[in-house]
Amino acid sequence: DVKVTQSSRYLVKRTGEKVFLECVQDMDHENMFWYRQDPGLGLRLIYFSYDVKMKEKGDIPEGYSVSREKKERFSLILESASTNQTSMYLCASSRSLSSYNSPLHFGNGTRLTVT
Amino acid sequence: DQQVKQNSPSLSVQEGRISILNCDYTNSMFDYFLWYKKYPAEGPTFLISISSIKDKNEDGRFTVFLNKSAKHLSLHIVPSQPGDSAVYFCAAIHFLNTGFQKLVFGTGTRLLVSP
């Protein structure tokens, strides 16, 4: 069974801090994703990666960057946290980006509060 | 611009009855549709999917219907059980020119099934 692990369930950070959200998957999946979930807005894609050191912007990349140095690990970086980045962050992985039969497997989320 | 819409933020149903969750989309290029279920404090999990060339897909108590002309899909749960209480996200896939797929989520509907 695929396991996607997000290192923190809850984080509280101050405005202006640099924040790292870590995600690890154990199924050798090629693709990894970062979403944020906000009430009334659903899940919105921030960034995704289809290979080590490769990344693509999603729908809302502003204020974020990512790092994928190893296949199993995908990090989301908030360079200078702001209060509008308070949200639930969800990491996901999938086997293929070119197949319909490759649903996303999500981690349990990190609830980030920026004060 | 919300390309996938779930206009009902919540739905309450009695145990044993049918639950019908609705989803509308605007982009006729979407190829494939999925439903994810999310319990509190957990990540979304894949539930059921349907290709744009079909109008119905069934898996146990769950059936998804697609009406392409109306750009509308629905998820039917029969019979509903208290354990079905969760937030349900509709999602749509279309393939980019790169060959990669992009997944667009709706805003979610919270289903409450009461005993």
Side-chain angles (χ1 to χ4, degrees):
Chain A
D1 202 18
V2 178
K3 190 159 187 184
V4 178
T5 303
Q6 294 182 233
S7 55
S8 303
R9 292 302 304 271
Y10 300 96
L11 273 180
V12 180
K13 297 292 181 181
R14 292 190 182 275
T15 300
E17 275 193 84
K18 190 168 186 176
V19 182
F20 293 85
L21 302 184
E22 306 288 347
C23 175
V24 177
Q25 52 96 2
D26 66 358
M27 282 301 290
D28 203 35
H29 281 175
E30 300 292 331
N31 314 294
M32 298 187 75
F33 308 80
W34 277 105
Y35 286 86
R36 61 178 282 178
Q37 181 193 354
D38 299 288
L41 296 175
L43 277 70
R44 294 179 293 166
L45 180 63
I46 305 171
Y47 267 96
F48 70 98
S49 168
Y50 53 91
D51 201 352
V52 175
K53 296 192 186 296
M54 305 302 289
K55 61 185 179 184
E56 289 282 341
K57 292 181 180 179
D59 298 315
I60 51 164
E62 295 79 19
Y64 302 94
S65 62
V66 290
S67 172
R68 191 150 180 221
E69 297 295 320
K70 294 184 178 181
K71 191 175 186 179
E72 66 271 18
R73 187 178 297 271
F74 193 35
S75 303
L76 180 69
I77 304 156
L78 286 66
E79 296 290 342
S80 177
S82 63
T83 55
N84 63 12
Q85 292 179 309
T86 291
S87 185
M88 170 68 81
Y89 289 87
L90 291 160
C91 176
S93 71
S94 74
R95 177 175 46 82
S96 169
L97 270 177
S98 57
S99 166
Y100 290 124
N101 294 320
S102 184
L104 299 180
H105 298 267
F106 284 89
N108 285 338
T110 296
R111 183 165 292 283
L112 173 67
T113 302
V114 182
T115 62
Chain B
D1 181 29
Q2 194 73 33
Q3 295 187 70
V4 179
K5 299 178 183 178
Q6 294 175 255
N7 291 318
S8 298
S10 63
L11 176 68
S12 292
V13 171
Q14 279 201 311
E15 182 178 8
R17 302 282 186 124
I18 184 171
S19 295
I20 300 176
L21 295 97
N22 294 304
C23 179
D24 297 295
Y25 62 95
T26 57
N27 189 341
S28 58
M29 297 299 292
F30 287 145
D31 299 293
Y32 203 74
F33 302 89
L34 307 92
W35 286 92
Y36 281 80
K37 179 168 75 173
K38 184 182 185 299
Y39 292 118
E42 294 183 14
T45 54
F46 169 71
L47 186 58
I48 192 169
S49 61
I50 187 167
S51 165
S52 60
I53 63 173
K54 295 188 175 183
D55 55 17
K56 177 182 174 181
N57 188 28
E58 191 172 351
D59 183 3
R61 297 186 296 114
F62 302 90
T63 303
V64 56
F65 295 92
L66 175 63
N67 182 334
K68 281 189 69 176
S69 60
K71 296 191 178 70
H72 176 83
L73 66 156
S74 60
L75 174 68
H76 293 211
I77 306 173
V78 183
S80 301
Q81 299 174 354
D84 296 329
S85 298
V87 177
Y88 290 79
F89 290 99
C90 169
I93 290 177
H94 75 96
F95 280 96
L96 306 172
N97 291 337
T98 54
F100 296 142
Q101 58 176 266
K102 180 177 177 179
L103 194 61
V104 180
F105 283 89
T107 52
T109 297
R110 183 178 301 277
L111 173 66
L112 178 62
V113 180
S114 53

